[in-house]
Amino acid sequence: MTPPLVSVVVPVFNGERFLGEALDSILRQTYRSLEAIVVDDGSTDRSADVAASRAGVLVLRQTNRGVAEARNVGARASRGSLLAFLDQDDLWEPRKLELQVAALQGDPEAGFALVLTSRFLEPGVPSPRWLNPEALRNAHTAYEPSALVVRREVFERLEGFDTSYRYGPDTDWFFRAKDAGIRKVLVAEPLLRRRIHDSNLSHQVETSADLRRIAMESIRRQRREPLSCWRR
């Protein structure tokens, strides 16, 4: 049986500092039926050059429209029956895709697969206030794009990431998947390494309004109330 093609989408905005390591972790995957697509979201640094230096990586460029749109653009340009996403500063362990594909093949009713994530501080970066010290010691289930492999039909059914969110489009996606009754399968191994550094979005605090909106939209869906004008 021909193994399914996994399309890996990497959105990047001024990410040359860590992008090469992220891409190398894709290219080191033991699962070989994959394609890698980098969507440069209007970077002003050498991100596109870093991506182009990796053999076989497709580089798409767009004006700056945000991470949600970059992921959607990459997904639309991809060919795989399975979609995966990797943030510009995260890293995968070599067997991540192999084990997630096997989990989905073993559970045809599951719409997507997640893995455990471990976090690490970039050397010289102080631990941020929001980071629970336990998160640096123990792996946990990661509801984040870098941990996700999703069947294309599920991703398209959910209409991708909602571009109206500046913060939290990934959180919104997982809420919508839950509300739609899409079942997940968990590979209970720490296969995603999440880098904590001084410029990633996790250090930003202007997220509360979007998170409140995400929660309210989920409540409306569960009550089968009309969606608000927030959704596009």
Side-chain angles (χ1 to χ4, degrees), residues 88-141:
Q88 64 191 31
D89 43 12
D90 290 343
L91 301 170
W92 284 348
E93 296 294 345
R95 296 190 67 203
K96 177 184 181 289
L97 293 183
E98 175 192 344
L99 295 178
Q100 285 182 288
V101 171
L104 288 170
Q105 289 180 319
D107 190 347
E109 298 303 314
F112 62 93
L114 294 176
V115 298
L116 301 184
T117 185
S118 59
R119 286 180 163 83
F120 68 99
L121 280 173
E122 182 67 11
V125 174
S127 181
R129 288 175 296 175
W130 53 263
L131 182 63
N132 186 332
E134 288 296 316
L136 293 174
R137 292 191 288 268
N138 300 312
H140 62 280
T141 304

Side-chain angles (χ1 to χ4, degrees), residues 49-60:
D49 294 335
V50 171
S53 71
R54 267 57 182 184
V57 174
L58 173 64
V59 183
L60 305 177

Side-chain angles (χ1 to χ4, degrees), residues 143-205:
Y143 287 90
E144 24 191 45
S146 292
L148 174 68
V149 173
V150 58
R151 300 187 194 276
R152 176 179 290 277
E153 62 266 26
V154 170
F155 187 78
E156 292 178 347
R157 173 184 166 191
L158 293 175
E159 299 181 343
F161 293 97
D162 188 337
T163 60
S164 68
Y165 289 101
R166 175 169 173 77
Y167 303 104
D170 48 346
T171 301
D172 167 73
W173 191 91
F174 283 108
F175 266 83
R176 287 190 285 118
K178 174 183 69 68
D179 296 341
I182 295 169
R183 192 160 62 80
K184 73 175 186 296
V185 61
L186 175 66
V187 177
E189 295 191 28
L191 299 172
L192 165 63
R193 299 184 65 216
R194 183 89 185 275
R195 188 194 308 266
I196 306 301
H197 57 90
D198 54 2
S199 58
N200 57 14
L201 283 176
S202 299
H203 278 263
Q204 303 189 31
V205 297

Side-chain angles (χ1 to χ4, degrees), residues 2-8 29-35 82 97 101:
T2 303
L5 178 66
V6 179
S7 297
V8 183
Q29 291 295 298
T30 56
Y31 190 83
R32 303 309 302 166
S33 181
L34 63 84
E35 63 175 0
L82 298 174
L97 293 183
V101 171

